[in-house]
Amino acid sequence: MNIVFHKTKSHGKVWKENFWFSTSAVKNDRQLIPAFYGESEIFDGCEFSHPGIINCYCFEFITHGQGVLTTSDSSRFPLFPGALYALLPRSQNRINVSPRYELKKIVVGFPDSVLLQLLLHNSALGIGEVIKMPKDGLFSRQLQKIGEMVKSESVSVNELSVESYRLMLQMPQKEHSETTNSLQKICEYMQSSFNSPLTLNDIALKYGLSKPTLIRKFRSQFSCTPMQYLITLRLNYAQKLLQFKHLPVTQVAELCGYRDVKFFSREYHRRFGNPPSDEKMLSHPAVDELTVL
């Protein structure tokens, strides 16, 4: 069975793209078939936005130039030659390129599938994160090979699936033991210090990591950012203080690392669905000590 890709062009004043879209891109748990392949160029001080309507996992590889990726959760990552990142289906992101600079990238999109999720599970590529690919060029050449197949008048579904599978295997794999040990130490530190005014920069400096690397490691292991993890620690402890210790909201906020009571109340309401002042006063006389987790 063969598959055909139709070419589309989309050019503006400071960007241009050539994309090839599959005529029959559907979810397939047994084969890895691209829904589209594209080559994009952004230049001369442009802000390029992903509209959030693409219903595929989008993998983008930078081949030339530099820029900044801002993901849907407002995280910012520098882009450079050899950078690879993945975007979730229907996510809204944007790329900024400074004046007098340009950025070239190759894009490939895959429908969600069991096979894709299995391949991503052990990959070091976290969704919304940027990693630097090895300089051996294997990933780049494999990506270009897929592009050549897509650009042909028709291509075998089986052959394209095999080459797409090889592409995914070129991604770096998680360093399970080292990553797990380092994150365990960071988590223990956050658990013992969550009532202090910790910042992402404080944690990154303490453990000799860049902020993007720290975020990537956390997302890969826990599917959340370090600050989201910290907020969870604080609010879970706050709930226990309110339920078991019957402390005033102002005191609970201070004990959980919040200096602004109104901000604490908003965060608490967002997490639990009710303000801290309305928290039920549960009676648990046997509980003398509180645990964070």
Side-chain angles (χ1 to χ4, degrees), residues 12-256:
K13 290 184 178 180
V14 289
W15 58 273
K16 59 183 179 181
E17 294 184 323
N18 294 321
F19 269 76
W20 289 260
F21 289 90
S22 166
T23 57
S24 56
V26 295
K27 179 179 178 179
N28 189 326
D29 291 333
R30 296 183 178 181
Q31 293 179 308
L32 199 61
I33 308 298
F36 58 84
Y37 172 90
E39 296 166 352
S40 176
E41 182 177 3
I42 311 167
F43 48 91
D44 198 23
C46 174
E47 178 177 292
F48 184 85
S49 298
H50 295 82
I53 60 174
I54 300 175
N55 194 26
C56 290
Y57 280 84
C58 188
F59 299 88
E60 303 198 350
F61 180 71
I62 306 302
T63 60
H64 176 78
Q66 62 185 51
V68 176
L69 169 70
T70 303
T71 58
S72 53
D73 65 354
S74 298
S75 297
R76 291 166 57 87
F77 302 94
L79 300 179
F80 46 84
L84 174 70
Y85 54 93
L87 303 175
L88 282 167
R90 298 189 178 279
S91 61
Q92 293 182 322
N93 311 274
R94 68 178 184 272
I95 293 175
N96 293 88
V97 178
S98 301
R100 300 185 300 278
Y101 285 90
E102 64 177 352
L103 184 77
K104 294 182 180 179
K105 57 190 175 78
I106 298 176
V107 182
V108 61
F110 293 97
D112 190 14
S113 67
V114 173
L115 179 57
L116 179 63
Q117 292 298 332
L118 287 174
L119 292 170
L120 286 176
H121 178 71
N122 288 321
S123 169
L125 181 65
I127 298 300
E129 303 296 330
V130 175
I131 62 174
K132 185 175 183 179
M133 297 301 292
K135 295 182 179 180
D136 55 22
L138 294 177
F139 182 84
S140 177
R141 289 194 293 272
Q142 187 64 27
L143 191 57
Q144 291 171 355
K145 184 174 183 179
I146 290 176
E148 293 171 359
M149 297 175 72
V150 166
K151 294 174 187 179
S152 65
E153 292 186 1
S154 65
V155 60
S156 164
V157 170
N158 290 335
E159 291 179 353
L160 185 55
S161 177
V162 169
E163 296 305 328
S164 297
Y165 187 84
R166 288 175 177 168
L167 176 74
M168 299 298 291
L169 293 181
Q170 294 294 338
M171 295 182 185
Q173 300 298 296
K174 292 178 181 177
E175 298 176 3
H176 293 286
S177 57
E178 180 182 348
T179 298
T180 301
N181 291 337
S182 62
L183 287 181
Q184 182 177 352
K185 292 179 180 178
I186 295 174
C187 289
E188 289 174 354
Y189 170 67
M190 295 172 71
Q191 290 169 19
S192 64
S193 309
F194 70 90
N195 56 346
S196 303
L198 286 178
T199 67
L200 181 65
N201 192 56
D202 292 335
I203 301 169
L205 285 175
K206 180 176 177 63
Y207 289 93
L209 299 171
S210 68
K211 289 189 286 187
T213 298
L214 178 60
I215 292 172
R216 176 177 60 80
K217 286 177 177 289
F218 253 81
R219 277 184 169 161
S220 176
Q221 190 75 13
F222 304 119
S223 299
C224 70
T225 68
M227 300 314 292
Q228 288 169 338
Y229 181 83
L230 180 63
I231 290 171
T232 297
L233 290 175
R234 287 173 168 171
L235 294 179
N236 285 349
Y237 188 68
Q239 187 182 52
K240 291 180 173 63
L241 288 174
L242 290 166
Q243 290 179 345
F244 299 126
K245 296 295 185 180
H246 301 187
L247 298 177
V249 172
T250 52
Q251 186 178 354
V252 170
E254 184 176 354
L255 289 172
C256 295

